[in-house]
Structure formats: C-alpha cells, structure tokens
Amino acid sequence: MQSNMDIKLNIQAELERAKQARAKNNEGQARVCARRAAGIAIRDYLSRRGTHIPSTSAYDLLNLLKDDPLLPSELKLIADHLTVRVTEEFKLPVDVDLVAEARVLCEWLLNK
C-alpha cells in the first residue's frame, strides 16, 4: 500500500503533466492526465473505506464513484465531466476545465 505522501506526489505529478500537456495545446493528453490523477485519488479513497476496487481503469473508477452516496452532488458532476466523451472534433461537449475539476475532486477524496 502506498503512503499518503506517495499518493499525493503521484496525483501532483499527473496534474503537472496535465498542465504541461495543456501548455503544448494537447488538451487530449491533459484530459488523460486529469483522469489518471482522479483515478489515483479514487483508489486511495475506496481502499481506505475497505471497498473492493473492481478495476484499475480511472474511467471505470470515475463511473463507480458517481454512485457513491457519500459523494456530494457537485463532485458527482465533476466525475461525470471527467467521463464525458469528446465530440468528433475532439472537443468536450461541456465548457469546463477538467484539470481544475480533477484537482478539486482529488482534494476532497484525499481528505475523506
């Protein structure tokens, strides 16, 4: 099991990679990194609650988290945003900053 510090460092590294990808106008990679950061936080959150983790996929874990009765509705919306499929033009159909939203979700999960 990873230490709390390792988990936080791994999340920070993913969010930093997302920021770098965005700086290079690679929004697709920024989304992937934001999802990975959220996945790390979700795995930690679920394991601390003694919940079986059915998948290593951040996408699957985000979908699982949406059904968590303890998760506030605004965070369920963030989880939903992080799982939205892009359009054929590779654009998000919602106007949100997934990197910022992933940061908010990770903070909440790490503190629960």
Side-chain angles (χ1 to χ4, degrees), residues 19-82:
K19 195 169 121 184
Q20 291 169 0
R22 181 171 280 164
K24 295 176 186 167
N25 288 323
N26 188 343
E27 198 59 30
Q29 187 62 40
R31 273 195 305 276
V32 168
C33 295
R35 278 191 195 120
R36 279 198 304 237
I40 294 165
I42 295 167
R43 272 189 292 281
D44 174 62
Y45 171 74
L46 293 175
S47 68
R48 282 185 284 113
R49 291 179 50 204
T51 303
H52 169 70
I53 300 167
S55 173
T56 57
S57 159
Y59 185 83
D60 291 347
L61 293 174
L62 282 158
N63 281 314
L64 178 70
L65 188 67
K66 287 189 249 182
D67 295 330
D68 187 328
L70 299 176
L71 193 70
S73 58
E74 63 271 15
L75 296 179
K76 288 183 183 192
L77 187 59
I78 288 175
D80 197 47
H81 289 163
L82 284 162

